[in-house]
Amino acid sequence: MGNLFQFRVNKSESPYWAFAVHDSHQIDEQLQPYLQIDEKTRFREEDPHTGCMAELPINQFLVSTSRFQLDINRKIEDAIYLHPDQAWGFSVWNDLPKDMIQALRSVYKDTYQQIDALIEETIDRYGYFMVWDIHSYNAKRESADQPIDKQANPQINLGTFYNHPKWRNTIDRFIDSVASQQFMEAPIDIRENVKFKGGNLAQHLISKYGKKGCVLSIEFRKDFMDEWTGVPYMPLIQSYKQLLLHVLTDFKSKQIDAAG
């Protein structure tokens, strides 16, 4: 049935990984006849440009398939949006054949096995790992003119909830490094677990390897684009990428060890 889930792995001499699993808009042509959600709505719920932010001088796992085809940040039973309550109330598929559903779930299991192998390889080589799981989120769900409730929607939501307590100092170092910077000449509002605590991929990796590494789910509020039209603000996207590069430099200057 072809390659129903596409991603690329770029390896580097590093214990760190940048993941961008929701960046893409691509739907396989054999599934398109069954797709009933419109393209504009679908694009709003994807995380465009996070792949660009994840192109850092560390290991990279960049997904090229839309989350609306297969969402590896959900549990397997929710990874294909078969019901509106799995997809923000939207009907995504019209009678998606059972053999395609089975094929997608098989690909899901295989992808997780490949990710596990990559993390195990990193642990074997360095003794620990760190994943930066990069996402974005909408803060104007009612309309394009809706004012952003900044108290309820931090500029950066850092999902850390499921990590082992031994990584508390590492998490604090990430937050301190971000908070020491500015974005558009203003302090950066980074808070933990306000909107999101970490998706299934983070929970899976932490449950299996949590004593050997941590997963930071970095959710950028979509200030870097118009979340209703999709128009990107490229200077802001580059600014967020520079922010991550700055944090990475801080971490490399004070290398962590397997004890956190």
Side-chain angles (χ1 to χ4, degrees):
M1 195 174 283
N3 190 350
L4 290 176
F5 189 74
Q6 299 182 27
F7 61 87
R8 65 186 188 275
V9 173
N10 300 323
K11 290 189 178 181
S12 179
E13 299 293 325
S14 173
Y16 304 137
W17 282 88
F19 276 62
V21 302
H22 287 162
D23 172 76
S24 185
H25 192 60
Q26 178 177 313
I27 299 288
D28 192 279
E29 61 180 11
Q30 62 190 316
L31 297 178
Q32 288 179 5
Y34 307 97
L35 190 69
Q36 61 180 10
I37 188 172
D38 69 88
E39 188 170 8
K40 185 177 180 181
T41 301
R42 181 161 60 86
F43 189 72
R44 281 200 67 227
E45 301 300 344
E46 293 162 341
D47 295 352
H49 313 296
T50 52
C52 174
M53 297 177 194
E55 290 177 345
L56 302 166
I58 57 179
N59 300 295
Q60 302 164 14
F61 188 97
L62 308 175
V63 172
S64 304
T65 296
S66 173
R67 67 186 303 178
F68 281 87
Q69 180 164 315
L70 186 66
D71 188 346
I72 65 166
N73 205 35
R74 301 273 187 95
K75 294 180 180 180
I76 192 168
E77 60 267 26
D78 295 320
I80 308 165
Y81 303 160
L82 298 175
H83 308 288
D85 60 0
Q86 296 170 313
W88 306 275
F90 302 118
S91 295
V92 177
W93 300 105
N94 182 26
D95 294 328
L96 189 63
K98 289 184 178 180
D99 63 332
M100 290 188 174
I101 294 172
Q102 292 173 349
L104 285 165
R105 286 177 173 164
S106 177
V107 168
Y108 176 101
K109 294 176 182 178
D110 180 67
T111 301
Y112 264 74
Q113 289 176 353
Q114 292 183 64
I115 292 172
D116 285 354
L118 292 169
I119 296 301
E120 289 170 8
E121 179 183 319
T122 302
I123 294 170
D124 289 343
R125 182 165 185 180
Y126 296 98
Y128 72 99
F129 72 95
M130 181 187 292
V131 169
W132 290 3
D133 179 27
I134 302 174
H135 297 269
S136 63
Y137 77 94
N138 298 320
K140 295 183 176 184
R141 287 212 163 268
E142 295 179 11
S143 72
D145 298 326
Q146 177 188 355
I148 294 176
D149 182 350
K150 294 185 177 180
Q151 182 58 39
N153 297 279
Q155 195 170 356
I156 300 175
N157 180 101
L158 191 66
T160 64
F161 184 80
Y162 301 100
N163 283 292
H164 192 284
K166 69 181 290 185
W167 302 106
R168 184 67 251 174
N169 289 340
T170 299
I171 294 167
D172 288 341
R173 282 176 52 195
F174 185 96
I175 294 170
D176 291 345
S177 182
V178 170
S180 71
Q181 303 180 64
Q182 290 193 333
F183 183 75
M184 298 178 64
E185 300 182 350
I188 297 170
D189 176 20
I190 178 171
R191 284 176 274 156
E192 291 182 72
N193 307 315
V194 175
K195 300 288 292 185
F196 309 96
K197 297 179 179 181
N200 189 70
L201 181 60
Q203 293 175 52
H204 168 82
L205 292 177
I206 291 166
S207 69
K208 289 195 73 172
Y209 310 112
K211 291 187 177 181
K212 290 294 185 178
C214 65
V215 181
L216 303 182
S217 298
I218 308 164
E219 296 264 2
F220 291 98
R221 194 175 64 206
K222 286 186 178 176
D223 297 349
F224 57 85
M225 62 181 290
D226 185 315
E227 64 184 67
W228 281 84
T229 67
V231 174
Y233 309 139
M234 294 309 299
L236 302 191
I237 293 169
Q238 290 299 320
S239 293
Y240 274 141
K241 186 172 182 177
Q242 287 298 317
L243 180 149
L244 293 174
L245 284 166
H246 179 90
V247 176
L248 186 61
T249 300
D250 281 354
F251 269 86
K252 286 184 175 180
S253 69
K254 301 175 183 176
Q255 193 71 273
I256 66 174
D257 58 32

